[in-house]
Amino acid sequence: MSKKRVLFLCNANSARSLMAEALLRHMAGQRFEAYSAGVEPDEPQQAALQALAELGIDTAGLASKSLEAYAGEHFDSVIILCEKAQQHCRDWEGNTDELLFWDILDPRLNPRDGAYTQTLEEIRGRLRLWLSVQSREA
């Protein structure tokens, strides 16, 4: 059985989508191939990588990529993590069986201590629910 392909989209592909990519690989890498991209890619945020590392999640190979890098490719699921990426999704030329929108606050805009850890936990919680639905549908 081949792995399902999942693409996480965000504006900069520097925090939320990278965290989601790494988390899905960590949580269910035997069942899914995880990818991420951004509308306007920027360098990975060190605080995001640090939050992943603190949970023992591998960050090797994580890099910001452009949405265009995946144009024309098929993904079983595309999960959009911010409103700006959702607005630009119509520009995405790939195809998908499932398109989801999870509006997750940019940790750079959260003034509280531990904002990146909080964002990571929110993504992990949503992934747990999504994975339970995927298991039932399999």
Side-chain angles (χ1 to χ4, degrees):
M1 184 172 138
S2 63
K3 293 181 181 183
K4 288 188 173 188
R5 300 180 78 220
V6 180
L7 177 63
F8 295 98
L9 297 177
C10 207
N11 184 49
N13 191 216
S14 63
R16 293 166 286 186
S17 51
L18 288 176
M19 288 191 276
E21 175 185 355
L23 271 171
L24 183 57
R25 285 183 183 154
H26 180 78
M27 294 168 72
Q30 70 284 2
R31 293 175 34 216
F32 297 93
E33 289 180 18
Y35 303 88
S36 66
V39 175
E40 299 169 352
D42 198 357
E43 290 297 313
Q45 294 177 34
Q46 290 306 307
L49 299 177
Q50 182 179 341
L52 286 163
E54 287 172 0
L55 287 177
I57 297 169
D58 186 14
T59 61
L62 286 181
S64 297
K65 295 161 289 305
S66 173
L67 189 60
E68 288 81 31
Y70 299 109
E73 291 191 34
H74 176 268
F75 290 91
D76 296 286
S77 300
V78 173
I79 302 174
I80 302 169
L81 301 176
C82 72
E83 189 173 329
K84 189 166 185 176
Q86 183 186 33
Q87 292 169 2
H88 285 85
C89 188
R90 64 182 171 272
D91 297 335
W92 184 59
E93 296 176 8
N95 61 64
T96 185
D97 299 332
E98 173 182 59
L99 182 63
L100 299 173
F101 176 55
W102 300 346
D103 192 15
I104 296 176
L105 178 66
D106 186 339
R108 291 179 293 185
L109 303 178
N110 184 345
R112 295 175 40 193
D113 287 341
Y116 286 84
T117 301
Q118 181 180 344
T119 298
L120 189 58
E121 289 302 323
E122 181 177 354
I123 293 168
R124 184 159 53 175
R126 289 182 189 226
L127 278 173
R128 279 188 184 127
L129 290 172
W130 181 79
L131 286 168
S132 70
V133 170
Q134 295 294 314
S135 293
R136 282 188 220 127
E137 291 177 356

